[in-house]
């Protein structure tokens, strides 16, 4: 029987890109201050550092708590010669610019004191050119004793010379990212021990970077076994953009970054506002889809995985790997807020990419990684909506773990219910430019939720002997949640 | 007033090159076994690894104790992509091939249980291309926030492309060894904290690699202050090949690797056997010198530094940086043993390069770094002489801290005394091919040492009212120690 961590089902995640969220200070020994950063507010570049750190995150935990966040997913924090830190230099050291292991320990303690979970990004498919075992190969060539930690095709290695082919296996051919040879039992053991080490240090789970690239049989099964042996409640969430059935069989991950939710949600709620230039790889929320089509796609998604998995999915509208949704919909605030309603009422843990909640914009990487803005620049309407919706999710267990029932869909409107025991919640969204009226028979509910707890619109129940009919009126581009 | 650690004055050091001394095993977690080493007995190469480790050293502590060793100087043990580990990748990690920090902790405990001191090699002038802060510059170019940790002359960095000039400051122009920018206070602080960290972990001192290359005013003075603040008894010994007066003023090092002793000692005791092809840089024991010349040079050396410093010098016949003495004298065993007598009876701590005591040979680097041989290959005569001489040094305090008096010198013969309180020891060496007879008046001694405790030969005292005359007869190429 598939089992996923209960806390995830009740979590609201906040995704932090550490270089860009907040900059704090510490007088502890071993805090190295770089002398030169890219301007905090300047447009992000591929290689510049802003200098955000974990001390800054600690400073902002009150803010996150107030927002309703109870779990943080950090993009990588280990020592890395890249501002996004996906190029791991040392899996056992938190990056010195982030405050090092001392800042990490302080963060874990502070977060746990607030009952906030901490999930780290595990980049276990590839390392970097500076990673010790690869660096030894680079320095010693065929004499390296660590040759079989990577897959080398020829000598001399052309690790830094772009004029020659990268003659070793690297992720998507990027010579900066040599891929581990996972078939080497020593390498496998090394990665397992890294995973165990940070769990022992207190983290609550691992987000796995491109885990589909690791095809050594049994690798992720052993990973799950060893992670759960340290902490049975640890969360394992994979970065799988497409159909993740293979990894969500209960023996590997608890959930995935649910871009399969993202795509139809933006295609529906973003609609014609979505700018197709932002389509990428497996995330193409274009062309726009109707509410009817959305219902079909959501229904299919909910049938794709076990319900226990559904409740532990990491649902998101955007991330460090995508443009920010507000930007993709040409900054149409209502499109973004309607999507946020769908996100916050969907089974699985919603994840907010830092700054989305205050209206931060940004196009493709690296633009989507702008710094978290000062309070004067916040969009207070967006922030208020986030707080309300997160509050509702925390208030109503059915929004977290209740069953899901599509009640109605047409071109512009999508209506569904979440049901847990006696508690029944209705969520309705109208993406149209005009007021909508939906009339439909309801057979799935025992009660008649009529109390609008979020948004605007009207519900009217018409009860006959044969059926209970519900009329929902929604203003243009609006939504409601009723209890 | 200059003060150096008392334990050094009484120490007999053993210098270990960890990749080549001994290979042990451990079942501890996190012990990474490379799949491929250079054959243990094969001729060493510049880049091959043999796979010696600290577990192996622990296994051999009984052997070292039996030999009379009470201090070990390790060439570098930190994580490094080079078999000699002078290319530091991480100053806080013991190399995984050596057994990592777990093996280090076990070693410190085992050594200290035997009252053996442990001195590590501090390579603080330069790092390596894989060292994090340099690697960040390599990866991010001018965008790196750590630019001022090194001295960069131009872009793009040509760190691995030998066809282009190495456009950053590196040790002797070797692009593999980027030099720290010691003028950056953050860099200085970083190095100081590394030094403190390992002292807190239990080491007894630092041997400093090429410290003359660091010319930031006050750097080594602060280093001494901070090292001694953690452990006032910690030993600081610099690698200075020439006149080290500047560094031996009492505010910087306790001693240096005393190649100024090595050179005349080999030139005298090696004599015509010395092969001048082995002369190098500041170590040129050629042409041969007479006993008379040796007396002059030793006298000058003993006047060069404060007596407190003399007693804390690290005296040696060879090291990982030189050919083995036995090889330089065309394997003339007597030349080597006569030098060893002079080494073991000189003020300052003698240091035996691993394997010298069993007759290990080897030419220039990397040949001088052969593996420690199996017992069947030991030269038992050489080993016996080492044990006897070390035993005498431990038995007679005057050989360690007694004053030094040259008594007699001629072409082939050199005779001196060590005096401490009532204890007076005479040491005599004849490097000639024939028996020698030395007759001389002795004014420096209160007693008349006549008891030959090492070597062969005869002492006869002739006492008159005017003077005490001593006649010492030595067989060809022999020595004696008399108490």
């Amino acid at each position: 029987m598939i089992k996923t961590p209960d806390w995830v089902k009740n979590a609201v995640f906040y995704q932090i890109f550490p270089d860009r969220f907040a900059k704090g200070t510490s007088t502890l020994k071993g805090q190295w201050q770089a002398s030169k950063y890219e301007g905090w507010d300047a447009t992000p570049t591929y290689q510049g550092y802003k200098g955000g750190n974990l001390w800054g995150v600690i400073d902002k935990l009150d803010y996150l708590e107030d927002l309703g966040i109870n779990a943080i997913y950090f993009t990588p924090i280990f020592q890395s010669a890249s501002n996004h830190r996906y190029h791991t230099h040392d899996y056992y050291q938190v990056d010195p610019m982030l405050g090092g292991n001392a800042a990490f320990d302080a963060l874990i303690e502070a977060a746990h004191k607030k009952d906030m979970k901490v999930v780290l990004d595990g980049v276990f498919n590839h390392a970097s050119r500076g990673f010790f075992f690869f660096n030894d190969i680079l320095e010693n060539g065929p004499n390296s004793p660590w040759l079989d930690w990577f897959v080398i095709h020829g000598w001399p290695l052309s690790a830094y010379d772009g004029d020659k082919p990268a003659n070793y296996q690297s992720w998507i051919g990027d010579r900066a990212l040599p891929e581990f040879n996972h078939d080497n039992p020593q390498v496998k053991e090394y990665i397992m021990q890294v995973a165990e080490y940070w769990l022992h240090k207190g983290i609550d789970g691992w987000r796995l970077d491109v885990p589909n690239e690791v095809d050594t049989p049994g690798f992720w099964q052993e990973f799950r076994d060893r992670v759960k042996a340290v902490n049975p409640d640890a969360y394992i969430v994979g970065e799988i953009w497409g159909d993740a059935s293979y990894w969500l069989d209960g023996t590997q991950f608890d959930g995935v970054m649910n871009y399969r939710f993202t795509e139809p949600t933006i295609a529906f709620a973003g609609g014609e506002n979505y700018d197709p230039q932002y389509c990428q790889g497996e995330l193409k929320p274009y062309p726009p889809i109707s509410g009817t089509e959305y219902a079909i796609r959501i229904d299919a998604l909910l049938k794709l995985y076990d319900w226990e998995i559904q409740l532990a999915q990491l649902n998101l509208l955007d991330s460090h790997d995508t443009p920010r949704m507000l930007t993709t919909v040409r900054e149409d605030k209502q499109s973004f807020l309607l999507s946020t309603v769908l996100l916050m009422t969907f089974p699985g843990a919603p994840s907010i990419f830092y700054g989305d909640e205050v209206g931060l914009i940004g196009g493709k990487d690296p633009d989507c990684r702008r710094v978290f803005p000062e309070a004067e620049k916040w969009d207070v309407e967006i922030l208020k909506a986030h707080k309300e919706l997160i509050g509702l999710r925390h208030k109503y267990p059915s929004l977290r773990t209740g069953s899901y029932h599509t009640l109605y869909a047409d071109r512009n409107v999508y209506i569904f219910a979440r049901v847990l025991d006696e508690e029944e919640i209705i969520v309705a969204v109208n993406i149209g430019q005009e007021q909508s009226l939906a009339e439909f028979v309801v057979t799935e509910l025992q009660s008649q939720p009529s109390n609008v707890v979020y948004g605007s619109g009207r519900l009217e129940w018409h009860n006959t002997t044969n059926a209970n009919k519900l009329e929902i009126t929604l203003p243009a581009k609006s939504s409601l949640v009723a209890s």
Side-chain angles (χ1 to χ4, degrees), chain A:
Chain A
M1 211 180 73
I2 294 177
K3 182 75 193 91
T4 57
D6 287 335
W7 68 263
V8 176
K9 302 166 189 165
N10 296 297
V12 176
F13 271 86
Y14 194 79
Q15 180 187 346
I16 292 179
F17 188 91
D19 189 54
R20 308 293 157 78
F21 184 52
K23 203 166 178 167
T25 55
S26 163
T27 56
L28 275 187
K29 228 177 150 175
Q31 298 291 314
W32 309 115
Q33 304 304 326
S35 57
K36 164 182 169 296
Y37 295 110
E38 195 174 76
W40 183 252
D41 288 315
T43 306
T45 62
Y46 280 112
Q47 294 191 302
Y49 290 80
K50 302 289 189 190
N53 58 33
L54 299 187
W55 301 114
V57 176
I58 294 172
D59 294 342
K60 280 212 176 303
L61 287 181
D62 285 343
Y63 165 79
L64 295 179
E65 188 178 37
D66 185 52
L67 181 58
I69 300 303
N70 56 11
I72 306 176
Y73 150 43
F74 284 95
T75 56
I77 64 170
F78 301 146
Q79 188 166 292
S80 169
S82 56
N83 60 31
H84 47 71
R85 301 193 169 90
Y86 279 95
H87 298 193
T88 315
H89 184 275
D90 189 332
Y91 288 88
Y92 285 96
Q93 302 301 321
V94 170
D95 196 279
M97 198 186 295
L98 294 179
N101 289 3
F104 171 81
D105 290 342
L107 171 73
I108 282 281
E109 194 187 337
H112 284 177
K113 206 171 270 176
K114 290 185 182 294
D115 285 327
M116 274 186 207
K117 305 288 186 182
V118 173
V119 170
L120 296 189
D121 208 317
V123 189
F124 299 137
N125 174 63
H126 45 263
S128 76
R129 291 177 285 211
F131 175 66
F132 177 63
F133 297 88
F134 186 81
N135 183 247
D136 193 276
I137 301 174
L138 196 46
E139 295 284 329
N140 292 297
N143 296 291
S144 173
W146 307 112
L147 271 190
D148 60 355
W149 278 51
F150 295 89
V151 180
I152 310 296
H153 301 312
W155 306 104
L157 281 199
S158 44
Y160 285 96
D161 185 349
D163 294 338
K164 297 176 187 158
N167 45 4
Y168 48 89
Q169 203 165 300
S170 57
W171 183 58
I172 57 169
D174 181 348
R175 75 184 74 218
L177 300 174
E179 282 190 325
F180 280 114
N181 173 17
H182 298 87
D183 292 340
N184 177 349
Q186 292 271 303
V187 169
K188 187 166 86 166
E189 182 61 23
Y190 181 88
I191 293 170
M192 299 297 160
Q193 290 189 18
V194 169
E196 291 169 334
Y197 177 84
W198 291 102
L199 286 161
H200 284 298
K201 292 274 280 177
I203 68 164
D204 301 288
W206 283 108
R207 178 266 187 186
L208 299 171
D209 189 57
V210 297
N212 55 306
E213 303 280 350
V214 181
D215 52 12
T216 299
F219 190 93
W220 294 121
Q221 284 83 357
E222 179 175 343
F223 185 88
R224 180 186 186 84
D225 290 346
R226 293 182 65 166
V227 161
K228 300 285 183 176
V230 178
N231 178 1
D233 260 347
Y235 183 36
I236 303 172
V237 54
E239 182 203 11
I240 303 286
W241 292 60
D243 180 342
S245 308
Y246 173 76
W247 294 274
L248 295 178
D249 64 346
T251 71
Q252 302 183 65
F253 311 152
D254 294 312
V256 294
M257 294 184 82
N258 203 0
Y259 290 110
R260 293 302 89 215
F261 166 79
T262 316
E263 186 175 88
T265 301
I266 298 180
F268 169 56
E272 296 294 346
N273 288 314
Y274 183 80
D275 182 343
Q277 69 154 301
Y278 291 116
C279 284
Q280 63 182 104
E282 293 189 271
L283 181 61
K284 294 186 173 121
Y286 191 84
I289 59 174
S290 64
T292 315
E293 175 69 14
Y294 186 64
I296 292 168
R297 294 197 44 189
I298 289 297
D299 191 47
L301 176 61
L302 290 176
K303 283 184 178 137
L304 197 54
Y305 315 122
D306 190 276
W307 182 245
E308 182 75 6
I309 296 285
Q310 300 286 354
L311 294 177
Q313 290 280 72
L314 193 71
N315 301 325
L316 69 172
L317 298 176
D318 47 25
S319 74
H320 64 295
D321 278 333
T322 73
R324 290 190 182 260
M325 186 190 161
L326 191 53
T327 296
T328 67
V329 295
R330 300 182 172 91
E331 300 187 26
D332 180 70
K333 209 193 284 191
Q334 291 314 311
S335 292
F336 177 54
L337 288 179
L338 295 180
S339 294
T340 304
V341 169
L342 294 168
L343 173 73
M344 291 297 171
T345 55
F346 200 69
S351 180
I352 300 168
F353 187 40
Y354 79 99
D356 271 7
E357 80 280 16
V358 295
L360 184 58
I361 56 168
K364 290 179 186 171
D365 166 17
D367 195 43
C368 62
R369 301 166 182 188
R370 299 185 191 187
V371 297
F372 186 82
E374 298 164 70
E376 304 87 72
K377 295 182 187 162
W378 294 356
D379 184 311
V380 292
E381 184 191 358
I382 293 180
L383 180 58
K384 182 164 169 286
H386 275 80
K387 281 195 190 175
E388 279 182 43
L389 289 165
I390 295 170
L392 288 181
R393 190 172 178 92
H394 287 314
K395 181 172 178 188
Y396 296 109
S398 60
L399 289 180
R400 309 194 299 268
T401 54
S403 56
Y404 190 100
H405 309 272
T406 299
L407 300 182
Y408 176 88
D410 65 21
R411 182 182 178 82
N412 289 331
V413 176
Y414 178 68
I415 301 172
F416 64 98
R418 302 293 307 275
V419 175
L420 185 70
D421 303 326
E422 311 286 280
E423 186 179 289
E424 300 183 326
I425 302 282
I426 291 173
V427 180
V429 172
N430 170 24
I431 64 147
Q433 302 290 349
E434 287 162 22
Q435 173 175 295
S436 68
L437 172 64
E439 286 183 282
F440 51 100
V441 170
V442 176
T443 56
E444 294 87 348
L445 305 183
Q446 305 302 314
S447 68
Q448 300 193 334
S450 312
N451 183 26
V452 176
V453 293
Y454 174 83
S456 52
R458 208 171 63 245
L459 296 90
E460 270 179 43
W461 289 90
H462 302 283
N463 307 314
T464 68
T465 45
N466 291 328
N468 295 327
K469 227 171 67 179
L470 175 55
E471 264 184 36
I472 298 186
T473 311
L474 289 166
K477 300 211 75 160
S478 73
S479 65
L480 67 74
V481 178
S483 72

